[in-house]
């Protein structure tokens, strides 16, 4: 009987010790998690202070997406023998200078991509990759501070393609006006004096004009989540058909160091490009600004992101 009581006592003491140890480990884990959250908060505060400090800030971010697949004798589909693929890359470098009396912000955007669908049973089918995405954009903004939030500014923005038809068309905006920086990460440019130079081999469609320029950029980071957005618009004083706008957004979540998952999409409206497509690509010689279907242009890309 004494031996049985001794065994029960030892087991009860072991279970009690285990329960206490488990609770202590859980409490220690929570304490460490709270410490990590506090450290991340302090790191975020320091990053904000660094970003606000005068001087050059250099970096780049972007998205890389792609997929490859191959099928042999897969009779459940219409083309049982095929090879497919998609590759998309975006690169967004920047060089920004902040001084007490002035600032100079330079950014660029490159979005290129290729697609492939090779039907191996069709000898006339194209085997290699074909170009799908082609966007090239450079922006340079210089401002002289009038107050802590307002500045007199001048802007240069160039937009075109780079893999094919470089500068045909190409758009160059040059203008002066006011830049407003109400909060950290938000820059709004309003230039009522702006000339939109358009370079093209088809001058009967693409025309330069005088108008107003609006550019807004926003950059927000919260924990491991980053959002970068840019809206660029030109409103022609001469003809609304010569106006255009583009809005791009980049969302990224860091998974490991500066690598993460991201989603990027863009919207665009340009009636001159729509008319050029109708006439020179679809062969609709009777197309005009008044009778074309100017659909909203869109693109999106999902994949791995980088930021350095």
């Amino acid at each position: 009987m004494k031996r049985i009581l001794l065994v029960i006592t030892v087991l009860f003491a072991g279970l009690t010790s285990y329960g206490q140890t488990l609770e202590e480990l859980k409490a220690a884990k929570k304490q460490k998690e709270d410490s990590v959250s506090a450290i991340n908060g302090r790191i975020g505060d320091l990053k904000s202070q660094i970003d606000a400090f005068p001087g050059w800030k250099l970096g780049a971010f972007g998205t890389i997406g792609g997929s490859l697949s191959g099928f042999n004798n897969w009779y459940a589909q219409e083309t049982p023998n095929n090879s497919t693929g998609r590759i998309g890359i975006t690169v967004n470098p920047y060089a920004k200078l902040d001084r007490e009396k002035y600032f100079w912000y330079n950014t660029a955007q490159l979005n290129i991509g290729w697609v492939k669908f090779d039907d191996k049973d069709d000898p006339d089918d194209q085997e290699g990759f074909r170009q799908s995405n082609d966007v090239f954009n450079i922006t340079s903004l210089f401002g002289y501070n009038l107050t802590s939030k307002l500045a007199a500014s001048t802007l240069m923005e160039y937009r075109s393609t780079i893999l094919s038809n470089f500068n045909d068309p190409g758009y160059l905006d040059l203008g002066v006006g006011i830049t407003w920086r109400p909060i950290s990460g938000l820059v709004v440019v309003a230039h009522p004096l702006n000339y939109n130079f358009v370079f093209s081999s088809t001058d009967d469609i693409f025309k330069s004009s005088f108008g107003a320029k609006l550019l807004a950029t926003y950059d927000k980071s919260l924990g491991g989540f980053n959002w970068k957005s840019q809206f660029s618009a030109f409103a022609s004083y001469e003809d609304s058909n010569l106006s255009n706008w583009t809005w791009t957004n980049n969302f990224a979540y860091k998974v490991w160091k500066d690598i993460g998952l991201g989603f990027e999409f863009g919207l665009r409206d340009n009636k001159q490009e729509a008319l050029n497509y109708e006439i020179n690509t679809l062969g609709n010689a009777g197309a005009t600004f008044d009778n074309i279907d100017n659909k909203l242009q869109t693109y999106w890309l999902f994949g791995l992101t980088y930021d350095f």
Side-chain angles (χ1 to χ4, degrees), residues 2 29 33 38 52 66 78 90-91 103 177 199 216-217 219 227 231 245 256 258 274 286 307:
K2 291 182 179 179
K29 178 176 177 290
E33 289 176 343
E78 185 177 353
T90 66
V91 184
F103 59 86
F199 310 99
T217 61
D219 186 346
W227 173 36
F231 178 80
W245 60 266
W256 180 72
D258 292 329
D307 189 350

Side-chain angles (χ1 to χ4, degrees), residues 66-70 83-87 116 129:
S67 65
L68 297 173
S69 65
S83 175
T84 66
R86 173 178 171 80
I87 301 172
K116 171 186 177 181
F129 282 85

Side-chain angles (χ1 to χ4, degrees), residues 43-53 184:
I43 291 175
D45 293 339
L46 289 173
K47 184 178 182 300
S48 299
Q49 295 177 35
I50 291 172
D51 292 340
F53 200 82
S184 176

Side-chain angles (χ1 to χ4, degrees), residues 52-303:
F53 200 82
W56 280 103
K57 301 175 185 66
L58 308 176
F61 63 93
T63 305
I64 301 175
S67 65
L68 297 173
S69 65
F71 290 88
N72 290 305
N73 304 319
W74 200 265
Y75 299 118
Q77 59 190 20
E78 185 177 353
T79 53
N81 301 291
N82 68 73
S83 175
T84 66
R86 173 178 171 80
I87 301 172
I89 302 172
T90 66
V91 184
N92 301 270
Y94 60 86
K96 299 181 179 181
L97 174 65
D98 278 294
R99 295 297 188 197
E100 181 180 355
K101 293 185 178 181
Y102 65 90
F103 59 86
W104 185 21
Y105 297 161
N106 301 280
T107 61
Q109 178 192 26
L110 178 63
N111 181 341
I112 52 179
W114 299 266
V115 295
K116 171 186 177 181
F117 186 90
D118 176 23
D119 184 352
K120 297 178 181 179
D121 297 324
D122 184 358
D124 298 325
D125 196 25
Q126 183 173 339
E127 296 183 1
F129 282 85
R130 294 177 293 172
Q131 173 196 322
S132 58
N133 301 357
D134 193 0
V135 178
F136 179 58
N137 187 309
I138 296 178
T139 301
S140 183
L141 172 67
F142 179 84
Y144 186 84
N145 294 322
L146 303 176
T147 69
S148 60
K149 300 183 183 299
L150 286 177
S153 57
T154 180
L155 172 72
M156 184 282 293
E157 183 183 40
Y158 177 75
R159 307 182 307 282
S160 184
T161 56
I162 198 169
L163 297 179
S164 63
N165 302 323
F166 176 69
N167 204 42
D168 188 16
Y171 305 89
L172 176 64
D173 280 298
L174 292 175
V176 294
I178 294 293
T179 293
W180 181 43
R181 297 181 295 171
I183 59 175
S184 176
L186 177 61
V187 179
V188 181
V189 180
H191 286 179
L193 301 177
N194 185 92
Y195 197 80
N196 178 236
F197 296 90
V198 182
F199 310 99
S200 174
S201 58
T202 54
D203 294 336
D204 54 329
I205 298 176
F206 295 95
K207 296 180 180 179
S208 303
S209 65
F210 185 68
K213 181 71 176 182
L214 176 65
L215 176 69
T217 61
Y218 185 62
D219 186 346
K220 180 66 175 178
S221 297
L222 184 61
F225 180 79
N226 294 291
W227 173 36
K228 302 177 189 293
S229 180
Q230 176 172 299
F231 178 80
S232 175
F234 170 74
S236 175
Y237 294 149
E238 301 176 21
D239 188 343
S240 62
N241 292 320
L242 307 181
S243 302
N244 60 78
W245 60 266
T246 303
W247 184 30
T248 59
N249 288 271
N250 183 287
F251 302 92
Y253 183 79
K254 290 185 179 180
V255 177
W256 180 72
K257 293 186 177 181
D258 292 329
I259 305 299
L261 295 175
F263 176 72
E264 181 173 323
F265 76 89
L267 306 176
R268 183 183 182 92
D269 181 88
N270 191 314
K271 208 166 187 179
Q272 294 179 92
E273 292 177 347
L275 180 59
N276 180 63
Y277 179 77
E278 282 284 341
I279 296 177
N280 295 316
T281 302
L282 300 182
N284 183 6
T288 66
F289 281 123
D290 297 327
N291 61 25
I292 62 170
D293 185 10
N294 182 29
K295 297 180 180 179
L296 180 67
Q297 304 176 43
T298 67
Y299 81 83
W300 63 270
L301 176 65
F302 177 79

